[in-house]
Amino acid sequence: MVTKAYGAYAADKPLEAMDIERRAPGPNDVQIDIAFCGVCHSDLHTVRSEWAGTLYPCVPGHEIVGHVTAVGGEVTKFKVGDTVGVGCLVDSCQRCPSCADGLEQYCENGFTATYNSPTQDPPGHTLGGYAQRITVTEKFVLKINHSEDRLAAVAPLLCAGITTWSPLRHWKVGPGMKVGIVGIGGLGHMGVKLAAALGAHVVAFTTSESKRQDAHDLGAHDVVVSRDRDAMKAHRGSFDFILNTVAASHDLDAFTSLLKRDGTMCLVGVPEHAHPSPNIGVLIFGRRSIAGSLIGGIPETQEMLDFCAEHGIVADIEMIRMDAIEEAYDRMQKSDVKYRFVIDSATLAG
Ligand code: NAP
Ligand code: ZN
């Protein structure tokens, strides 16, 4: 089915309108009319080929919400009209131990990402949510229980929400823990909201003085402008867990030194250029860890969506037209996003 989309034909070309082909729903497929799609920094890294291996044309977008317009004959969980979401994954092998554990993002045979992964559909790699519709196998479609008027602000939960939720849950963040969130962008602002809702004492670290009050409003109990050395020093050796969402290369030691004995800093940001090598002494003297985490599996994504619906949590968004995407990327490069751009997919119609 011919579908209007927005993407790039090369790393050095701006995004533009294009027609793409979506498969007709097979027996296990759900066809979705996309209402809104969030703009993740990974979209920018990929479409500009900051990470190796981008396939063109590239249509980014993996924070998708919309409504079901058709289902295959064997679909049981969804019906036409349902409000649904699709995140970063659209398939996985379903046979390996990670898939059996509901951690499809660690599929040992390689998951299928929502964009830039090999597929049998044209043009041979997946195309994401900057489009009017998408067809996805039932298992990778999520139920949305938020009220319809909050749908645009739910979109970012599909990546920014789950990418912060999964490590917060894995490292058992909750009451009695002191937790740092580094980088108050799309991921970081969700990290602050979720860690606070889980009952932790939350400290936000930002390079942007202008985000200080916002970070408090998002739920942080304390805010540190990380360029202020004295303010950083005051927190030395005090954190149980730090979630680092920064999208650029930076000095990790500034944060590992803030961990308690046995504390962990989990990296989720994937910068274009490597971080300087961490100081090993800081890790050894204190048995501290640096870890990483990738988005989240389908069961935990549903758990996070349900938790957010129950607790009234959505992202703080700025809605944009599809043709404003280049300007949105420019602002994202400058850390000037409060706190997630969301595309109104109706503007794809022209
Ligand atoms: P974003 O909205 O651009 O936010 C990143 C934030 O990092 C910025 O707002 C800024 O916050 C801070 N920052 C940027 N440049 C910095 C610098 N040079 N030094 C220190 N801080 C800086 O990006 P996002 O969408 O949240 O994504 C963040 C990163 O996570 C990206 O690399 C993205 O690809 C990655 N990601 C990973 C996963 C995963 O599964 N692991 C999933 C999604 C995204 P302040 O203004 O507060 O300093
Ligand atoms: Zn993302």
Side-chain angles (χ1 to χ4, degrees):
M1 190 178 300
V2 177
T3 298
K4 285 189 194 303
Y6 226 77
Y9 288 103
D12 58 356
K13 294 256 167 25
L15 277 75
E16 59 183 284
M18 53 176 71
D19 284 341
I20 61 168
E21 185 64 29
R22 293 297 195 196
R23 68 175 185 265
N28 299 302
D29 281 339
V30 176
Q31 181 182 278
I32 301 159
D33 248 6
I34 300 175
F36 303 101
C37 184
V39 179
C40 179
H41 208 115
S42 302
D43 300 353
L44 169 55
H45 289 306
T46 304
V47 80
R48 299 275 198 255
S49 210
E50 292 179 357
W51 300 333
T54 303
L55 304 166
Y56 294 93
C58 174
V59 175
H62 59 204
E63 293 185 337
I64 299 167
V65 290
H67 302 98
V68 175
T69 47
V71 295
E74 287 168 29
V75 169
T76 57
K77 281 186 351 212
F78 301 100
K79 57 178 187 329
V80 170
D82 284 354
T83 306
V84 295
V86 177
C88 305
L89 307 172
V90 289
D91 212 352
S92 69
C93 84
Q94 301 296 316
R95 288 175 276 109
C96 74
S98 293
C99 287
D101 287 344
L103 295 170
E104 299 88 352
Q105 76 275 34
Y106 303 118
C107 174
E108 284 140 54
N109 297 302
F111 63 82
T112 306
T114 304
Y115 55 82
N116 206 49
S117 274
T119 175
Q120 298 195 334
D121 295 353
H125 58 270
T126 50
L127 301 172
Y130 296 4
Q132 285 183 312
R133 65 174 79 82
I134 191 166
T135 309
V136 179
T137 190
E138 172 178 35
K139 206 166 170 112
F140 288 81
V141 180
L142 286 310
K143 282 185 199 296
I144 306 277
N145 295 314
H146 286 78
S147 64
E148 197 66 25
D149 59 318
R150 308 194 85 185
L151 192 54
V154 170
L157 302 183
L158 276 307
C159 174
I162 184 58
T163 302
T164 48
W165 175 261
S166 183
L168 292 173
R169 297 284 284 164
H170 182 74
W171 274 276
K172 300 188 168 43
V173 163
M177 286 176 81
K178 183 172 172 183
V179 171
I181 307 289
V182 186
I184 309 304
L187 266 56
H189 97 290
M190 286 311 307
V192 169
K193 288 188 189 214
L194 293 173
L198 288 167
H201 179 85
V202 181
V203 180
F205 291 93
T206 180
T207 57
S208 309
E209 181 64 49
S210 70
K211 295 181 183 173
R212 187 187 284 277
Q213 186 53 47
D214 287 358
H216 278 293
D217 297 344
L218 292 166
H221 302 93
D222 202 351
V223 181
V224 175
V225 174
S226 51
R227 302 186 199 279
D228 178 344
R229 280 173 180 265
D230 291 338
M232 292 291 279
K233 230 186 211 171
H235 287 275
R236 259 201 197 152
S238 68
F239 283 86
D240 297 285
F241 182 69
I242 296 176
L243 184 62
N244 187 328
T245 75
V246 172
S249 167
H250 65 283
D251 170 26
L252 300 179
D253 304 337
F255 298 102
T256 48
S257 59
L258 305 188
L259 293 168
K260 275 183 186 164
R261 190 199 74 221
D262 292 328
T264 297
M265 174 162 78
C266 176
L267 304 176
V268 290
V270 189
E272 179 182 3
H273 304 291
H275 297 301
S277 174
N279 181 324
I280 306 307
V282 176
L283 302 179
I284 291 175
F285 289 88
R287 200 161 55 186
R288 300 174 172 109
S289 307
I290 296 177
S293 182
L294 179 64
I295 39 178
I298 295 301
E300 58 182 340
T301 304
Q302 191 62 61
E303 175 194 70
M304 175 275 310
L305 285 167
D306 295 347
F307 177 91
C308 288
E310 248 168 61
H311 290 79
I313 297 172
V314 291
D316 288 19
I317 65 161
E318 183 175 334
M319 190 97 79
I320 59 165
R321 290 180 49 83
M322 187 69 258
D323 57 15
I325 190 69
E326 288 290 333
E327 190 190 328
Y329 283 171
D330 288 348
R331 283 182 53 198
M332 191 181 249
Q333 298 275 34
K334 295 181 196 137
S335 303
D336 175 25
V337 187
K338 292 180 173 171
Y339 280 88
R340 196 59 139 186
F341 291 117
V342 171
I343 298 157
D344 177 357
S345 309
T347 61
L348 270 157

